Amino acid sequence: MICPGSFNPVTRGHVNVFERCSRLFDEVVVVVMHNAAKTYHVSAQQRVDWIERSVAHLPNVRVDACGGLLAEYAVQCGAKFIVKGVRDAADMVVETQMYYANREASQGQVDTLLLPTQEEFVYLSSSIVRDVASYGGDISAFVPPVILEQVAKAYRKG
């Protein structure tokens, strides 16, 4: 199964989803996707590295990057499931639309599971991390400790 996202940057909420998936599936592939509608301050490879360091304690989780269609990637790697963490009703609407698109694009070969975010992370998003870090604020509650300094430096203004 795969957990896709832009992870710009990866947050403690994302890692919580990966940890939960690692207990449910034999293999979890976290896939750093490119979204043309988003602006990235760090490379996909940097985001892959941050995730790899954040999931080093999970032996059945590996990290990859994809610049193409998620459904095609899933079919090519033999994944039967996409798991998406959802925080609120707005996420549910967007991810439900993506569920139908990915199911159609994979010709029914890939299904999507929506996993509610654990309560303590409902407010947390990568954009919040970027915003707080850009002003030099404390992001220690938002990102895994192993990548804290790098993330803070990468998104700090100036």
Side-chain angles (χ1 to χ4, degrees):
M1 84 32 80
I2 58 178
C3 281
S6 56
F7 309 115
N8 185 30
V10 66
T11 69
R12 289 181 56 230
H14 293 130
V15 173
N16 178 262
V17 170
F18 308 153
E19 289 170 340
R20 292 161 62 201
C21 286
S22 77
R23 293 191 302 267
L24 297 170
F25 297 93
D26 292 336
E27 180 184 34
V28 175
V29 182
V30 177
V31 184
V32 174
M33 301 295 298
H34 177 76
N35 182 337
K38 293 184 178 183
T39 301
Y40 299 100
H41 298 84
V42 297
S43 69
Q45 186 54 51
Q46 179 63 70
R47 289 176 278 142
V48 166
D49 177 65
W50 286 343
I51 298 167
E52 286 176 337
R53 293 174 51 211
S54 299
V55 300
H57 63 290
L58 302 170
N60 63 332
V61 176
R62 68 179 177 88
V63 187
D64 198 4
C66 175
L69 291 175
L70 175 58
E72 288 178 3
Y73 177 90
V75 169
Q76 288 174 356
C77 72
K80 298 295 180 200
F81 297 102
I82 296 168
V83 175
K84 296 291 295 199
V86 292
R87 293 168 297 191
D88 56 22
D91 281 357
M92 286 291 290
V93 169
V94 170
E95 296 304 342
T96 298
Q97 291 171 335
M98 290 306 301
Y99 157 78
Y100 290 114
N102 286 322
R103 184 131 176 93
E104 182 66 28
S106 71
Q107 299 176 344
Q109 295 180 58
V110 181
D111 215 338
T112 300
L113 304 174
L114 303 179
L115 185 62
T117 301
Q118 198 164 310
E119 299 86 5
E120 66 188 283
F121 303 117
V122 168
Y123 73 94
L124 185 55
S125 68
S126 294
S127 58
I128 287 174
V129 174
R130 290 191 311 272
D131 188 46
V132 173
S134 74
Y135 292 100
D138 181 7
I139 59 169
S140 60
F142 306 152
V143 299
V146 68
I147 62 169
L148 174 62
E149 289 181 29
Q150 281 188 309
V151 171
K153 182 179 177 183
Y155 293 101
R156 187 172 293 125
K157 288 182 183 176

